[in-house]
Amino acid sequence: MEQRTDQKTSGLSASVVMYGGADETIRCIESLAVHTAGGLTLYLVDNASPDGALDTVMAHGVPHGTVVLARKQNRGYGAGHNAVLPMLNSRYHVVSNPDIEISSDVLNTMADWMDAHPGVAITAPKLCFPDGREQLLAKRRPALLPLVARQTRWGFLEKYERRYLMLDRDLSYPTDVQFISGSFFMIRTEVFRKMGGFDEKYFMYVEDADITQKALRHGRAVYLPQVSVTHAWHRDAHRKPKQFWWQCRSMLRYFGKWGFKLK
């Protein structure tokens, strides 16, 4: 199932990977299409949703020119986004969760900033809950003690979590970071292609920390607080044992690739 458009008409592309959640997905892709001036090549990748979500989205209708990829198997978040790699011909590519909404032309704002900063490979905006509260997603590299602190809420570990979340820094202006959230980021398409996209051996979680490290080999990773998007952020890893186990497995893979950090 696929609808195609001439990608050469735009310097911007974006992929949204869905697994269920038709209503959220509809709001996400419509907001991206409506608020991006000059055109956007938009890819919707369905990771074999079991609930007929893609049918619901298609019955509602997708923005004109959207490329829809219906995958027969769910091989994970990163693999879903990698499915669009052979098709990309843009200057900048956006990776987005389906629980993201934008209300202004954040894509062109981010692209303009990156044009002015050619040493930057990847950027992320400020993410906010639907009620406007800011999410703490500017981070240093993952480490064991901050991970334990976030899951247990033991007070004596709080200082490690605060450092991990860069709360010792002034984040009111563009800041170099070591961990870009996979919920929503913009990357130079050439860099995304050169590094082969996401490591597909991460089924879920930590693939964004991994891709940040890969991107840092090609340039800087920068948090842009002057740009904001809305992110529902369901945080399953903090509520369900199965998802938490997936996160632990992914973290072990990350440490194996990039080196272990205690704090």
Side-chain angles (χ1 to χ4, degrees):
M1 184 186 303
E2 192 171 303
Q3 298 178 12
R4 294 191 176 275
T5 187
D6 181 2
Q7 194 168 358
K8 294 182 180 180
T9 62
S10 173
L12 298 173
S13 60
S15 53
V16 177
V17 172
M18 63 178 290
Y19 182 76
D23 291 342
E24 275 190 339
T25 300
I26 290 167
R27 291 193 296 270
C28 174
I29 61 177
E30 289 184 346
S31 74
L32 290 171
V34 167
H35 293 291
T36 304
L40 170 69
T41 303
L42 182 60
Y43 298 90
L44 175 62
V45 182
D46 179 66
N47 258 355
S49 294
D51 59 355
L54 181 59
D55 292 336
T56 301
V57 172
M58 298 305 295
H60 177 274
V62 297
H64 176 71
T66 300
V67 180
V68 180
L69 303 176
R71 292 166 64 82
K72 295 181 179 180
Q73 182 181 2
N74 180 9
R75 293 175 50 212
Y77 183 76
H81 284 288
N82 284 354
V84 311
L85 264 175
M87 305 167 142
L88 297 183
N89 192 29
S90 53
R91 275 176 28 253
Y92 297 108
H93 183 67
V94 169
V95 166
S96 178
N97 270 11
D99 60 351
I100 291 285
E101 286 188 68
I102 66 173
S103 57
S104 63
D105 194 355
V106 300
L107 272 62
N108 277 294
T109 299
M110 294 173 70
D112 289 346
W113 192 91
M114 292 183 73
D115 281 343
H117 298 81
V120 174
I122 185 171
T123 58
K126 177 170 65 177
L127 272 64
C128 297
F129 290 105
D131 63 7
R133 288 178 297 127
E134 182 178 349
Q135 297 171 5
L136 302 177
L137 292 176
K139 301 172 187 171
R140 292 186 167 94
R141 283 184 59 179
L144 180 60
L145 290 180
L147 175 65
V148 174
R150 288 168 70 79
Q151 296 296 334
T152 63
R153 299 304 175 189
W154 292 336
F156 69 95
L157 293 176
E158 182 181 354
K159 62 182 179 181
Y160 302 113
E161 181 181 17
R162 290 183 61 82
R163 186 178 185 282
Y164 172 61
L165 297 174
M166 300 183 70
L167 296 179
D168 57 340
R169 296 285 303 275
D170 180 0
L171 298 175
S172 62
Y173 59 90
T175 305
D176 283 70
V177 297
Q178 298 172 320
F179 184 166
I180 291 281
S181 170
S183 303
F184 188 93
F185 65 77
M186 177 175 284
I187 188 168
R188 294 184 190 275
T189 304
E190 181 182 9
V191 170
F192 193 47
R193 187 182 294 110
K194 280 182 177 178
M195 64 190 195
F198 286 93
D199 180 345
E200 297 185 13
K201 292 183 179 179
Y202 296 91
F203 178 77
M204 182 183 291
Y205 306 118
V206 194
E207 70 279 302
D208 46 2
D210 182 273
I211 203 170
T212 305
Q213 293 304 306
K214 291 166 69 175
L216 284 168
R217 293 180 169 181
H218 299 271
R220 296 160 56 203
V222 179
Y223 167 69
L224 301 178
Q226 69 270 35
V227 184
S228 66
V229 306
T230 300
H231 177 212
W233 201 10
H234 301 301
R235 294 177 64 97
D236 283 343
H238 295 262
R239 298 183 300 183
K240 300 177 182 177
K242 182 178 181 180
Q243 278 78 2
F244 178 54
W245 170 238
W246 282 342
Q247 187 178 47
C248 290
R249 287 174 55 188
S250 294
M251 188 62 70
L252 289 173
R253 174 167 180 77
Y254 176 89
F255 286 148
K257 285 183 67 175
W258 303 105
F260 175 78
K261 284 191 68 178
L262 179 64
K263 56 186 179 181

